Amino acid sequence: KCSTTAVAGDTCIVGNGTYVEGAITFATNGSSGNYITLQAQNKHLAILSSTSGCSPNITIQANYIHIKDLRLKVGASYVACSPVNSSSGTGVRFFEGSPLPSLAGSHATARHHAWIEGLLVDASSARGHSIKVGGDDGIIEGNIAYNGIEGSAGQRYKIRNNKVLGGDAFGGGLIAGKFGNRDYEVYNNYVECNSNWMTCFTIGGSSGEGNHFDASTDIESYNAVAYNNVIKVGTGVTGTPIIGIRACKDCFFGYNTLIGGLAPLTLVAGGGSTPYSSANPTFKFNVVAPNGGGCTYNFGAYTGSLILDYNLFYNCTSAPSQTHAITGNPLLGGDYTLGTGSPAIDAIPAASAVTSWTAYEGAAITLDLTSVPTWQSATYSARPDNTDYDVGAYEFYTPDGQGAGGGQSQDPAATSPRRHPLGWWR
Protein backbone atom coordinates (compact mmCIF):
# COMPACT_ATOMS: atom_id res chain seq x y z
CA LYS A 1 0.00 0.00 0.00
CA CYS A 2 2.77 2.41 0.93
CA SER A 3 4.84 1.71 -2.16
CA THR A 4 1.93 2.24 -4.55
CA THR A 5 0.11 5.19 -2.93
CA ALA A 6 2.55 7.31 -0.90
CA VAL A 7 3.69 10.64 -2.34
CA ALA A 8 6.47 13.08 -1.49
CA GLY A 9 6.50 13.88 2.22
CA ASP A 10 4.49 10.82 3.29
CA THR A 11 5.69 8.50 6.06
CA CYS A 12 4.26 4.99 6.39
CA ILE A 13 4.72 3.45 9.84
CA VAL A 14 4.51 -0.33 10.12
CA GLY A 15 3.42 -1.78 13.45
CA ASN A 16 4.91 -4.82 15.15
CA GLY A 17 4.24 -8.11 13.41
CA THR A 18 5.21 -10.38 10.54
CA TYR A 19 3.93 -9.46 7.09
CA VAL A 20 4.07 -12.01 4.26
CA GLU A 21 4.31 -10.16 0.96
CA GLY A 22 5.72 -10.59 -2.53
CA ALA A 23 8.04 -8.17 -4.29
CA ILE A 24 7.55 -4.53 -3.27
CA THR A 25 8.52 -1.70 -5.65
CA PHE A 26 8.73 2.03 -4.99
CA ALA A 27 8.32 3.86 -8.31
CA THR A 28 6.97 7.27 -7.20
CA ASN A 29 9.49 10.01 -6.45
CA GLY A 30 9.81 11.89 -3.23
CA SER A 31 11.60 15.22 -3.30
CA SER A 32 14.39 17.05 -1.53
CA GLY A 33 13.37 17.43 2.10
CA ASN A 34 10.25 15.35 1.45
CA TYR A 35 11.27 11.73 1.22
CA ILE A 36 8.74 8.94 0.90
CA THR A 37 9.48 6.94 4.05
CA LEU A 38 8.65 3.36 5.02
CA GLN A 39 9.66 2.64 8.59
CA ALA A 40 9.03 0.29 11.48
CA GLN A 41 7.21 1.71 14.46
CA ASN A 42 9.67 -0.21 16.64
CA LYS A 43 13.09 -1.10 15.28
CA HIS A 44 13.27 -4.61 13.80
CA LEU A 45 9.83 -5.59 15.17
CA ALA A 46 8.06 -4.97 11.86
CA ILE A 47 9.15 -8.04 9.87
CA LEU A 48 8.78 -8.44 6.13
CA SER A 49 8.60 -12.17 5.42
CA SER A 50 9.26 -11.93 1.72
CA THR A 51 8.20 -14.21 -1.11
CA SER A 52 9.84 -12.04 -3.79
CA GLY A 53 11.42 -14.92 -5.73
CA CYS A 54 13.71 -13.63 -8.49
CA SER A 55 13.07 -10.01 -7.46
CA PRO A 56 14.40 -8.07 -4.46
CA ASN A 57 12.29 -8.00 -1.32
CA ILE A 58 12.11 -4.21 -1.77
CA THR A 59 13.01 -2.49 -5.05
CA ILE A 60 13.63 1.26 -5.30
CA GLN A 61 13.13 2.68 -8.79
CA ALA A 62 12.52 6.27 -7.76
CA ASN A 63 14.21 9.25 -6.10
CA TYR A 64 14.17 10.31 -2.45
CA ILE A 65 12.99 7.04 -0.91
CA HIS A 66 13.77 6.24 2.76
CA ILE A 67 13.53 2.68 4.14
CA LYS A 68 14.09 2.49 7.90
CA ASP A 69 14.30 -0.01 10.80
CA LEU A 70 12.52 -2.99 9.20
CA ARG A 71 13.59 -6.60 9.55
CA LEU A 72 13.72 -8.52 6.28
CA LYS A 73 13.40 -12.30 6.10
CA VAL A 74 13.11 -14.82 3.32
CA GLY A 75 9.70 -16.32 4.10
CA ALA A 76 8.87 -19.97 4.56
CA SER A 77 6.89 -20.00 1.31
CA TYR A 78 9.63 -18.25 -0.67
CA VAL A 79 10.49 -20.04 -3.94
CA ALA A 80 14.20 -19.54 -4.57
CA CYS A 81 15.38 -18.18 -7.89
CA SER A 82 17.75 -20.50 -9.74
CA PRO A 83 20.42 -19.49 -10.23
CA VAL A 84 20.62 -16.75 -7.65
CA ASN A 85 21.33 -13.37 -9.24
CA SER A 86 21.97 -9.83 -8.00
CA SER A 87 18.26 -9.15 -7.57
CA SER A 88 16.83 -12.43 -6.38
CA GLY A 89 16.07 -12.34 -2.68
CA THR A 90 18.15 -9.18 -2.18
CA GLY A 91 16.77 -7.33 0.82
CA VAL A 92 16.77 -3.87 -0.77
CA ARG A 93 18.01 -3.00 -4.23
CA PHE A 94 18.24 0.57 -5.47
CA PHE A 95 18.48 0.65 -9.26
CA GLU A 96 20.44 3.45 -10.89
CA GLY A 97 18.07 3.61 -13.86
CA SER A 98 18.89 4.07 -17.52
CA PRO A 99 20.51 5.27 -19.61
CA LEU A 100 23.65 4.69 -17.60
CA PRO A 101 26.27 7.46 -17.41
CA SER A 102 29.31 7.34 -19.67
CA LEU A 103 32.65 9.06 -19.82
CA ALA A 104 31.54 10.97 -22.89
CA GLY A 105 28.19 12.08 -21.49
CA SER A 106 26.49 12.94 -18.24
CA HIS A 107 27.99 11.64 -15.00
CA ALA A 108 24.64 11.57 -13.22
CA THR A 109 22.52 8.45 -12.90
CA ALA A 110 18.79 8.55 -13.57
CA ARG A 111 17.98 7.66 -9.93
CA HIS A 112 19.29 9.33 -6.81
CA HIS A 113 18.90 9.87 -3.04
CA ALA A 114 17.94 6.48 -1.67
CA TRP A 115 18.31 6.33 2.12
CA ILE A 116 18.48 2.82 3.56
CA GLU A 117 18.78 2.93 7.33
CA GLY A 118 18.67 0.66 10.36
CA LEU A 119 17.59 -2.57 8.65
CA LEU A 120 18.22 -6.09 9.93
CA VAL A 121 18.56 -8.33 6.88
CA ASP A 122 18.58 -11.97 7.93
CA ALA A 123 20.87 -14.52 6.31
CA SER A 124 19.63 -16.72 3.50
CA SER A 125 21.31 -18.74 0.77
CA ALA A 126 18.54 -17.52 -1.52
CA ARG A 127 19.71 -13.90 -1.36
CA GLY A 128 21.91 -12.25 -3.95
CA HIS A 129 22.85 -9.51 -1.46
CA SER A 130 21.48 -7.99 1.71
CA ILE A 131 21.60 -4.51 0.15
CA LYS A 132 22.70 -3.48 -3.35
CA VAL A 133 22.72 0.18 -4.22
CA GLY A 134 23.24 2.23 -7.36
CA GLY A 135 22.30 5.79 -8.15
CA ASP A 136 23.72 9.05 -6.84
CA ASP A 137 23.84 10.61 -3.37
CA GLY A 138 22.50 7.64 -1.44
CA ILE A 139 23.05 6.88 2.25
CA ILE A 140 23.34 3.30 3.51
CA GLU A 141 23.80 3.45 7.26
CA GLY A 142 23.24 1.59 10.49
CA ASN A 143 22.21 -1.70 8.89
CA ILE A 144 22.97 -5.25 10.05
CA ALA A 145 23.54 -7.31 6.91
CA TYR A 146 24.16 -11.07 6.89
CA ASN A 147 24.57 -11.36 3.09
CA GLY A 148 26.86 -8.51 2.16
CA ILE A 149 26.46 -4.97 0.88
CA GLU A 150 27.45 -3.92 -2.64
CA GLY A 151 27.64 -0.57 -4.40
CA SER A 152 26.83 -0.27 -8.10
CA ALA A 153 26.97 2.60 -10.60
CA GLY A 154 26.53 5.99 -8.97
CA GLN A 155 28.42 8.78 -7.28
CA ARG A 156 28.75 10.53 -3.93
CA TYR A 157 26.97 7.86 -1.90
CA LYS A 158 27.96 6.96 1.66
CA ILE A 159 28.13 3.48 3.21
CA ARG A 160 28.65 4.01 6.92
CA ASN A 161 28.04 2.60 10.40
CA ASN A 162 26.96 -0.79 9.04
CA LYS A 163 27.63 -4.21 10.49
CA VAL A 164 28.25 -6.85 7.78
CA LEU A 165 28.26 -10.38 9.16
CA GLY A 166 28.38 -12.61 6.10
CA GLY A 167 28.92 -12.79 2.38
CA ASP A 168 26.62 -12.45 -0.60
CA ALA A 169 25.86 -15.15 -3.16
CA PHE A 170 28.99 -14.20 -5.11
CA GLY A 171 31.50 -14.34 -2.26
CA GLY A 172 31.49 -10.65 -1.37
CA GLY A 173 31.30 -9.04 2.06
CA LEU A 174 31.35 -5.27 1.62
CA ILE A 175 32.11 -4.47 -2.02
CA ALA A 176 31.86 -0.73 -1.75
CA GLY A 177 31.80 0.13 -5.42
CA LYS A 178 31.68 -1.42 -8.89
CA PHE A 179 30.66 -0.57 -12.44
CA GLY A 180 32.26 2.85 -12.65
CA ASN A 181 31.04 4.75 -9.60
CA ARG A 182 32.78 7.85 -8.24
CA ASP A 183 33.44 9.89 -5.13
CA TYR A 184 31.83 7.49 -2.67
CA GLU A 185 32.79 7.07 0.99
CA VAL A 186 32.75 3.91 3.07
CA TYR A 187 33.53 4.44 6.74
CA ASN A 188 32.79 3.38 10.33
CA ASN A 189 31.75 -0.12 9.24
CA TYR A 190 32.43 -3.43 11.00
CA VAL A 191 32.82 -6.35 8.59
CA GLU A 192 33.26 -10.04 9.40
CA CYS A 193 34.51 -12.35 6.67
CA ASN A 194 33.55 -15.92 7.43
CA SER A 195 33.80 -17.78 4.12
CA ASN A 196 36.79 -19.13 2.23
CA TRP A 197 38.11 -17.16 -0.74
CA MET A 198 35.85 -14.26 0.07
CA THR A 199 36.25 -10.80 -1.44
CA CYS A 200 36.00 -9.50 2.05
CA PHE A 201 36.17 -5.72 1.81
CA THR A 202 37.18 -3.73 -1.26
CA ILE A 203 36.72 -0.38 -2.88
CA GLY A 204 36.43 -1.19 -6.53
CA GLY A 205 35.79 -4.71 -7.76
CA SER A 206 36.20 -7.21 -10.56
CA SER A 207 32.84 -7.52 -12.22
CA GLY A 208 34.01 -9.69 -15.08
CA GLU A 209 32.33 -7.49 -17.66
CA GLY A 210 33.05 -4.25 -19.52
CA ASN A 211 32.95 -1.25 -17.26
CA HIS A 212 30.00 1.08 -17.75
CA PHE A 213 32.28 4.10 -17.90
CA ASP A 214 35.61 2.99 -19.33
CA ALA A 215 35.58 -0.39 -21.03
CA SER A 216 39.09 0.10 -22.38
CA THR A 217 40.67 -0.06 -18.90
CA ASP A 218 37.87 -1.68 -16.90
CA ILE A 219 38.47 0.71 -14.02
CA GLU A 220 35.48 0.16 -11.75
CA SER A 221 35.68 3.03 -9.25
CA TYR A 222 37.08 6.53 -9.28
CA ASN A 223 38.24 8.69 -6.35
CA ALA A 224 36.70 6.55 -3.62
CA VAL A 225 37.72 6.55 0.05
CA ALA A 226 37.50 3.81 2.69
CA TYR A 227 38.46 4.71 6.25
CA ASN A 228 37.74 3.99 9.91
CA ASN A 229 36.56 0.43 9.21
CA VAL A 230 37.28 -2.75 11.16
CA ILE A 231 37.60 -5.86 8.98
CA LYS A 232 37.81 -9.21 10.76
CA VAL A 233 38.51 -12.59 9.15
CA GLY A 234 36.98 -15.46 11.13
CA THR A 235 39.08 -18.10 12.84
CA GLY A 236 37.52 -20.90 10.80
CA VAL A 237 38.42 -19.38 7.45
CA THR A 238 41.31 -21.12 5.68
CA GLY A 239 40.89 -19.80 2.10
CA THR A 240 42.57 -16.45 1.57
CA PRO A 241 40.25 -13.39 1.78
CA ILE A 242 40.86 -10.27 -0.32
CA ILE A 243 40.92 -6.82 1.29
CA GLY A 244 41.84 -3.41 -0.11
CA ILE A 245 41.74 -1.50 -3.40
CA ARG A 246 40.67 -3.26 -6.58
CA ALA A 247 40.33 -1.74 -10.05
CA CYS A 248 39.99 1.71 -8.50
CA LYS A 249 41.52 4.91 -9.88
CA ASP A 250 42.89 7.57 -7.49
CA CYS A 251 41.43 5.84 -4.43
CA PHE A 252 42.34 5.97 -0.74
CA PHE A 253 42.31 3.08 1.77
CA GLY A 254 43.38 4.34 5.18
CA TYR A 255 42.82 4.42 8.96
CA ASN A 256 41.43 0.86 8.88
CA THR A 257 42.09 -2.06 11.22
CA LEU A 258 42.44 -5.50 9.59
CA ILE A 259 42.61 -8.62 11.72
CA GLY A 260 42.49 -12.29 10.86
CA GLY A 261 42.71 -15.89 11.98
CA LEU A 262 44.03 -18.97 10.19
CA ALA A 263 43.98 -17.67 6.62
CA PRO A 264 46.57 -15.11 5.52
CA LEU A 265 45.15 -11.68 4.88
CA THR A 266 45.57 -10.96 1.18
CA LEU A 267 45.94 -7.22 0.76
CA VAL A 268 45.54 -5.56 -2.62
CA ALA A 269 46.37 -2.03 -3.63
CA GLY A 270 46.29 -2.67 -7.33
CA GLY A 271 43.49 -5.13 -7.86
CA GLY A 272 44.60 -8.33 -9.48
CA SER A 273 45.34 -9.57 -12.95
CA THR A 274 44.80 -7.35 -15.95
CA PRO A 275 42.36 -5.82 -16.81
CA TYR A 276 41.36 -5.36 -13.18
CA SER A 277 44.26 -3.07 -12.32
CA SER A 278 44.09 0.16 -10.36
CA ALA A 279 45.64 3.56 -11.00
CA ASN A 280 47.50 5.58 -8.36
CA PRO A 281 46.30 3.63 -5.30
CA THR A 282 46.98 4.96 -1.78
CA PHE A 283 47.22 2.51 1.15
CA LYS A 284 48.15 4.40 4.35
CA PHE A 285 47.63 4.51 8.12
CA ASN A 286 46.24 0.96 8.45
CA VAL A 287 46.78 -1.59 11.23
CA VAL A 288 47.20 -5.08 9.77
CA ALA A 289 47.33 -7.65 12.57
CA PRO A 290 46.48 -11.27 11.72
CA ASN A 291 46.47 -13.68 14.65
CA GLY A 292 48.26 -16.55 12.96
CA GLY A 293 47.76 -16.74 9.21
CA GLY A 294 50.14 -13.97 8.25
CA CYS A 295 49.77 -11.69 5.23
CA THR A 296 50.18 -11.84 1.49
CA TYR A 297 50.29 -8.81 -0.79
CA ASN A 298 49.34 -7.93 -4.31
CA PHE A 299 50.58 -4.36 -4.58
CA GLY A 300 51.74 -4.70 -8.16
CA ALA A 301 48.67 -4.59 -10.42
CA TYR A 302 48.44 -0.86 -10.88
CA THR A 303 49.39 1.92 -13.24
CA GLY A 304 50.81 5.26 -12.19
CA SER A 305 52.12 5.50 -8.62
CA LEU A 306 51.44 3.50 -5.45
CA ILE A 307 51.59 5.36 -2.14
CA LEU A 308 52.20 2.88 0.67
CA ASP A 309 53.22 4.41 3.99
CA TYR A 310 52.60 4.74 7.74
CA ASN A 311 51.02 1.28 7.98
CA LEU A 312 51.59 -1.06 10.91
CA PHE A 313 52.09 -4.66 9.73
CA TYR A 314 52.15 -7.02 12.72
CA ASN A 315 52.55 -10.82 12.48
CA CYS A 316 53.28 -10.32 8.78
CA THR A 317 56.54 -11.76 7.51
CA SER A 318 58.29 -9.80 4.76
CA ALA A 319 56.09 -6.75 5.13
CA PRO A 320 56.28 -4.37 2.16
CA SER A 321 58.76 -1.52 2.32
CA GLN A 322 57.59 1.86 3.63
CA THR A 323 59.35 5.15 4.25
CA HIS A 324 57.62 5.50 7.62
CA ALA A 325 57.03 1.94 8.79
CA ILE A 326 55.26 1.56 12.13
CA THR A 327 56.41 -1.58 13.92
CA GLY A 328 55.50 -3.56 17.02
CA ASN A 329 52.42 -5.02 18.66
CA PRO A 330 49.47 -2.63 18.19
CA LEU A 331 48.08 -3.87 21.53
CA LEU A 332 44.54 -4.18 20.22
CA GLY A 333 41.93 -4.80 22.86
CA GLY A 334 38.89 -7.00 22.50
CA ASP A 335 37.14 -4.00 21.01
CA TYR A 336 40.00 -3.42 18.50
CA THR A 337 40.98 -0.11 20.01
CA LEU A 338 44.64 0.61 20.75
CA GLY A 339 45.92 -0.19 24.22
CA THR A 340 48.09 2.08 26.30
CA GLY A 341 51.62 2.12 24.93
CA SER A 342 50.63 1.00 21.42
CA PRO A 343 53.15 2.12 18.77
CA ALA A 344 50.17 3.10 16.61
CA ILE A 345 49.19 5.93 18.96
CA ASP A 346 50.28 9.36 17.74
CA ALA A 347 52.32 7.68 14.99
CA ILE A 348 51.17 9.98 12.19
CA PRO A 349 52.41 13.57 12.28
CA ALA A 350 49.52 15.94 11.69
CA ALA A 351 51.25 17.32 8.61
CA SER A 352 51.27 13.83 7.06
CA ALA A 353 47.68 12.91 7.91
CA VAL A 354 45.01 12.70 5.23
CA THR A 355 41.84 14.56 6.16
CA SER A 356 40.42 15.21 2.69
CA TRP A 357 40.66 13.56 -0.71
CA THR A 358 40.41 14.92 -4.23
CA ALA A 359 37.13 13.95 -5.83
CA TYR A 360 36.55 13.14 -9.48
CA GLU A 361 36.98 16.26 -11.61
CA GLY A 362 38.53 18.22 -8.76
CA ALA A 363 36.11 18.76 -5.88
CA ALA A 364 37.01 17.64 -2.34
CA ILE A 365 35.83 14.76 -0.17
CA THR A 366 36.19 15.62 3.50
CA LEU A 367 36.92 12.55 5.61
CA ASP A 368 34.55 12.36 8.57
CA LEU A 369 37.16 11.77 11.27
CA THR A 370 35.34 13.68 13.99
CA SER A 371 31.90 12.09 14.15
CA VAL A 372 30.87 10.44 17.40
CA PRO A 373 28.43 7.51 17.60
CA THR A 374 25.21 8.41 19.39
CA TRP A 375 26.05 6.12 22.32
CA GLN A 376 29.31 7.95 22.99
CA SER A 377 29.62 10.72 25.58
CA ALA A 378 30.15 14.32 24.60
CA THR A 379 33.64 14.21 26.12
CA TYR A 380 34.96 12.08 23.27
CA SER A 381 37.63 14.08 21.50
CA ALA A 382 37.78 14.54 17.75
CA ARG A 383 40.75 13.18 15.83
CA PRO A 384 43.47 14.07 16.52
CA ASP A 385 43.20 14.06 20.29
CA ASN A 386 46.64 15.57 20.63
CA THR A 387 48.85 17.00 17.92
CA ASP A 388 49.23 13.75 15.97
CA TYR A 389 47.01 11.01 14.58
CA ASP A 390 46.70 7.29 15.36
CA VAL A 391 47.20 4.45 12.89
CA GLY A 392 44.14 2.24 12.48
CA ALA A 393 40.42 2.65 12.69
CA TYR A 394 39.66 4.11 16.09
CA GLU A 395 41.11 7.00 18.00
CA PHE A 396 42.49 6.31 21.46
CA TYR A 397 41.48 8.92 23.99
CA THR A 398 42.43 9.88 27.50
CA PRO A 399 41.91 13.37 28.89
CA ASP A 400 45.50 13.51 30.09
CA GLY A 401 47.06 12.75 26.72
CA GLN A 402 47.57 9.86 24.35
CA GLY A 403 49.05 6.72 25.86
CA ALA A 404 49.35 8.27 29.29
CA GLY A 405 47.11 5.85 31.12
CA GLY A 406 44.21 7.47 32.86
CA GLY A 407 42.01 4.43 33.34
CA GLN A 408 40.46 4.12 29.89
CA SER A 409 36.92 2.81 29.98
CA GLN A 410 34.40 1.46 27.51
CA ASP A 411 31.65 3.11 29.54
CA PRO A 412 30.49 6.14 27.53
CA ALA A 413 29.61 7.92 30.77
CA ALA A 414 33.17 7.61 32.05
CA THR A 415 35.57 10.52 32.08
CA SER A 416 37.91 8.82 29.59
CA PRO A 417 35.80 6.79 27.15
CA ARG A 418 37.12 4.77 24.24
CA ARG A 419 35.31 4.36 20.99
CA HIS A 420 34.05 0.83 20.32
CA PRO A 421 33.52 -0.52 16.78
CA LEU A 422 30.33 -2.30 17.84
CA GLY A 423 29.10 0.64 19.85
CA TRP A 424 26.41 1.59 17.33
CA TRP A 425 24.54 -1.50 18.47
CA ARG A 426 24.64 -0.87 22.22
Side-chain angles (χ1 to χ4, degrees):
K1 184 72 172 180
C2 182
S3 67
T4 56
T5 63
V7 296
D10 285 347
T11 295
C12 308
I13 298 174
V14 186
N16 297 354
T18 299
Y19 303 83
V20 179
E21 296 200 38
I24 296 168
T25 299
F26 284 82
T28 300
N29 293 332
S31 62
S32 178
N34 291 285
Y35 280 75
I36 294 173
T37 297
L38 173 66
Q39 72 177 70
Q41 183 175 12
N42 296 294
K43 190 170 186 175
H44 300 164
L45 296 182
I47 302 168
L48 171 60
S49 179
S50 183
T51 60
S52 63
C54 291
S55 299
N57 301 167
I58 298 175
T59 295
I60 300 174
Q61 291 184 331
N63 306 326
Y64 295 103
I65 305 296
H66 185 193
I67 311 295
K68 182 178 181 182
D69 291 347
L70 302 172
R71 182 172 184 175
L72 307 183
K73 291 186 173 183
V74 168
S77 56
Y78 178 93
V79 178
C81 190
S82 181
V84 175
N85 59 54
S86 288
S87 289
S88 56
T90 291
V92 178
R93 182 164 185 185
F94 175 40
F95 285 88
E96 53 267 30
S98 61
L100 290 167
S102 67
L103 285 175
S106 169
H107 300 318
T109 62
R111 301 299 180 198
H112 51 87
H113 289 92
W115 185 4
I116 302 167
E117 177 186 12
L119 305 185
L120 170 57
V121 186
D122 287 11
S124 173
S125 60
R127 291 197 190 282
H129 310 273
S130 288
I131 300 169
K132 184 177 175 72
V133 293
D136 296 348
D137 298 294
I139 299 176
I140 302 90
E141 64 181 349
N143 303 288
I144 303 175
Y146 281 87
N147 289 113
I149 294 175
E150 182 175 292
S152 186
Q155 56 186 339
R156 296 184 305 273
Y157 57 76
K158 294 178 171 61
I159 301 176
R160 64 191 183 194
N161 296 359
N162 299 287
K163 192 175 180 182
V164 179
L165 300 176
D168 59 28
F170 312 98
L174 202 165
I175 313 299
K178 297 173 66 175
F179 304 123
N181 42 32
R182 292 170 250 222
D183 299 344
Y184 63 84
E185 303 173 56
V186 51
Y187 60 96
N188 294 0
N189 299 285
Y190 174 82
V191 181
E192 289 187 1
C193 307
N194 50 26
S195 301
N196 290 333
W197 315 111
M198 190 171 176
T199 303
C200 179
F201 181 104
T202 61
I203 49 176
S206 54
S207 65
E209 60 184 71
N211 181 265
H212 292 310
F213 290 88
D214 192 351
S216 63
T217 65
D218 215 31
I219 291 290
E220 298 223 34
S221 287
Y222 301 80
N223 301 76
V225 294
Y227 59 95
N228 236 27
N229 302 287
V230 167
I231 303 101
K232 178 184 178 181
V233 176
T235 56
V237 175
T238 57
T240 302
I242 296 174
I243 301 168
I245 304 170
R246 202 171 195 186
C248 201
K249 183 178 186 297
D250 300 322
C251 296
F252 172 77
F253 190 96
Y255 302 115
N256 301 295
T257 295
L258 320 178
I259 58 175
L262 298 178
L265 296 175
T266 295
L267 309 178
V268 293
S273 59
T274 303
Y276 305 124
S277 62
S278 294
N280 306 316
T282 298
F283 189 96
K284 297 180 77 171
F285 316 135
N286 301 289
V287 169
V288 182
N291 294 322
C295 311
T296 61
Y297 314 98
N298 184 348
F299 290 160
Y302 64 89
T303 59
S305 300
L306 165 67
I307 298 177
L308 176 70
D309 209 5
Y310 285 105
N311 300 288
L312 191 161
F313 294 99
Y314 180 66
N315 284 339
C316 296
T317 57
S318 303
S321 176
Q322 304 175 87
T323 303
H324 304 96
I326 315 299
T327 60
N329 188 337
L331 300 177
L332 296 173
D335 55 3
Y336 315 120
T337 55
L338 304 171
T340 301
S342 170
I345 295 172
D346 281 352
I348 308 166
S352 300
V354 173
T355 58
S356 66
W357 193 251
T358 301
Y360 193 81
E361 297 178 330
I365 300 171
T366 300
L367 274 60
D368 184 3
L369 297 171
T370 62
S371 64
V372 182
T374 55
W375 68 274
Q376 187 59 277
S377 76
T379 59
Y380 177 81
S381 177
R383 190 191 294 254
D385 289 338
N386 281 343
T387 303
D388 301 321
Y389 287 68
D390 294 353
V391 176
Y394 298 97
E395 188 73 1
F396 178 92
Y397 171 66
T398 65
D400 51 352
Q402 299 277 31
Q408 295 78 23
S409 171
Q410 294 174 33
D411 178 1
T415 57
S416 55
R418 292 192 298 175
R419 189 172 179 178
H420 190 297
L422 304 185
W424 295 281
W425 314 109
R426 293 191 170 184

